[in-house]
Amino acid sequence: MGGDDAPSVVIEGALRAARSAAEPLSIQLFGPEVELLAALGNRATSAVEIVDAPQVIGMAESPVAAVRAKPRSSIHHGLQANLAGRADAFLSAGNTGAIVAAAQFILGRLPGVVRPSIPSYYPTVKGVCLVLDVGSNMDSKPEHLLQFAQMGSAYARFLLDLKEPAVGLLSVGEEPGKGNELVKGAYDLFRAAPNIRFVGNMEGRDIMHHGADVVVCDGFVGNVVLKLGESVMTAVPELIRQEMVAKGLDMKYMDAFRQVFGGLKRRFNPEYYGGGSPLLGVDGTVFILHGSSQARAVERCILMAARAATTQLKAAISSALKKAA
């Protein structure tokens, strides 16, 4: 029931995932049964099961209040299925704050985890890097950033197939003494950590030049970075058009630019990297999609979540944190 176009795009994505998966999938759709049956129509399949969850947490609701007031929501029931082993993974495009709060309440955190974190994917000249945290922790401490680095490294090994991902700390300068107290405190912890390959401070301009495989920052900065990236592919084509008009260039060349930026825009689309992001640090397998996700993103996220469950991503993160303890 989460997302701008739910439940139709979620149902369509689930049906696509059931058809395209290399191995058989059993997909459960949580939400008001009557509404989901109507949306599913005559496309019913044995691979997709509807589970009645009569309450819905809206995108604009207060996360903590909604989690307490709506225990029969689709988010609650889905997470409880993951906890009980009736589902190997849970994913939602719903209220991010509610998912994070409910996941910690129902699943709990992995041993030693203080703050779960959400990574995101950023296109670079050499492929992609992970940026975390991108919004689940607006106020962090140095030790929180260290855990983000450790969990991000474990996820980069899973996602990018890297044995030793390079970790960078986002700051206002490359020198060790640059940054606010949070960054300077985190720098010392990163440098002493034995289980991450720390390559030092990096600046915002280094992200798309692939200054590191994993870029660590607090959630406030990370969310600004994420939203700035999303704006690139809408603003740059318009800036080019304005310059072409100002210089009196033939607009037929704009078609070529549109083709180029069409491919580049795809690399800024979350579905290009699996459709959604995991909630790292909770004692379960949870993926969060963007609220505007369409069926293709839902399909890819379901397949990514299945892969994470079968390859024991949670165990890999837990192991990385134990080695750091």
Side-chain angles (χ1 to χ4, degrees), residues 129-209:
C129 70
L130 291 178
V131 179
L132 75 165
D133 183 80
V134 294
S136 57
N137 298 281
M138 293 299 174
D139 296 294
S140 300
K141 297 178 180 179
E143 54 267 32
H144 300 156
L145 298 192
L146 176 59
Q147 282 197 341
F148 299 165
Q150 293 161 342
M151 294 190 294
S153 291
Y155 186 55
R157 287 192 288 270
F158 160 80
L159 179 74
L160 306 177
D161 295 321
L162 298 172
K163 290 184 178 180
E164 291 187 87
V167 177
L169 179 61
L170 195 59
S171 186
V172 295
E174 296 179 356
E175 299 82 1
K178 289 291 184 71
N180 55 20
E181 293 304 312
L182 171 64
V183 171
K184 288 187 283 189
Y187 184 95
D188 293 335
L189 294 178
F190 280 35
R191 187 173 57 179
N195 64 333
I196 60 171
R197 184 162 71 91
F198 182 44
V199 296
N201 285 345
M202 55 184 291
E203 299 178 68
R205 64 188 177 191
D206 299 322
I207 295 177
M208 287 198 287
H209 286 284

Side-chain angles (χ1 to χ4, degrees), residues 15-41:
L15 292 170
R16 290 187 186 185
R19 291 193 297 266
S20 63
E23 300 290 338
L25 283 180
S26 175
I27 302 171
Q28 302 166 44
L29 300 174
F30 292 85
E33 184 176 25
V34 173
E35 186 174 350
L36 296 190
L37 284 172
L40 183 61

